[in-house]
Amino acid sequence: MDREAALALCRGKTRKETTLRHLISVEGVMRALARRFGEDEDLWGLTGLFHDLDQDVTGEDGVGHAEVAAGWLREAGVDERVINGVLAHAFPEYRTDRMSRAIVHADAVAGLLVAAALVRPERASGMKVSSVRKKLKERAFAPGVNREEILGVEEGIGLPLEEFLAVAIEGLQAVAPEIGL
Ligand SMILES: [Fe+2]
């Protein structure tokens, strides 16, 4: 599935603009991580783009989250590796390879980066690792962001935290114009 078709599917399945922007931000981070590891950028990007596809349907209680999305994606003929990655962000038993572990860290860091960008006049542009580290320590800032999923990145995918943040910032910046950042 090419990116245009993937985005059209996201637009069709999401109801909130914030959900769509979140999907694109995680896509950006996943693409940058794939580049860093010499992996398949499109496959990793699709996993980011689709990971919360059913967010606006499954709602706050989270029942069926990721499983509903997996069903839609299967119907649409999306690569099983992407579907596994989507399931992996919600269910640890699917975290079977680097991509399916990376989505957990990408999801969390994208949340932090978007929140950090929103409080800067220049948004994502010129964002520094050091300032993101500060926001990471400031637990009252974006309290919904799971810090452990960011801090565990080296254990998860073998990337030191500093480098992960740098790669993630670059990934967010690549999609920033699309999401108003
Ligand atoms: Fe997410």
Side-chain angles (χ1 to χ4, degrees):
M1 183 177 282
D2 67 21
R3 186 165 192 265
E4 250 344 282
L7 273 175
L9 185 58
C10 291
R11 285 195 199 98
K13 296 296 189 189
T14 56
R15 292 182 185 160
K16 296 182 202 154
E17 196 55 35
T18 48
T19 305
L20 185 60
R21 286 203 297 263
H22 171 63
L23 294 179
I24 296 172
S25 70
V26 178
E27 180 204 13
V29 172
M30 285 294 279
R31 282 186 173 275
L33 285 170
R35 278 197 299 278
R36 166 62 184 74
F37 287 114
E39 300 257 12
D40 187 328
E41 211 182 302
D42 292 330
L43 210 62
W44 285 50
L46 284 179
T47 302
L49 197 53
F50 288 145
H51 82 285
D52 273 341
L53 188 64
D54 60 21
Q55 176 82 25
D56 296 338
V57 173
T58 52
E60 290 303 302
D61 63 4
V63 174
H65 181 46
E67 286 164 329
V68 171
W72 292 338
L73 294 170
R74 265 194 199 108
E75 247 169 64
V78 169
D79 193 304
E80 273 301 322
R81 290 170 291 177
V82 171
I83 296 170
N84 183 73
V86 168
L87 288 164
H89 97 277
F91 304 105
E93 62 266 33
Y94 293 95
R95 294 171 199 164
T96 49
D97 57 9
R98 186 146 61 187
M99 184 173 81
S100 56
R101 291 194 302 275
I103 186 67
V104 177
H105 308 295
D107 189 11
V109 84
L112 182 71
L113 294 182
V114 167
L118 286 171
V119 297
R120 302 174 76 242
E122 59 281 15
R123 300 298 191 226
S125 111
M127 188 179 270
K128 296 269 182 301
V129 169
S130 55
S131 73
V132 174
R133 281 194 75 121
K134 239 176 260 165
K135 297 283 188 232
L136 186 59
K137 280 191 197 133
E138 227 179 276
R139 299 266 168 168
F141 180 80
V145 171
N146 185 326
R147 263 62 178 178
E148 276 56 51
E149 289 176 352
I150 298 175
L151 295 168
V153 69
E154 185 158 10
E155 196 185 329
I157 56 171
L159 205 57
L161 180 63
E162 282 299 296
E163 193 182 350
F164 173 62
L165 294 177
V167 170
I169 289 169
E170 191 191 299
L172 178 70
Q173 286 168 338
V175 295
E178 271 185 76
I179 55 174
L181 293 178

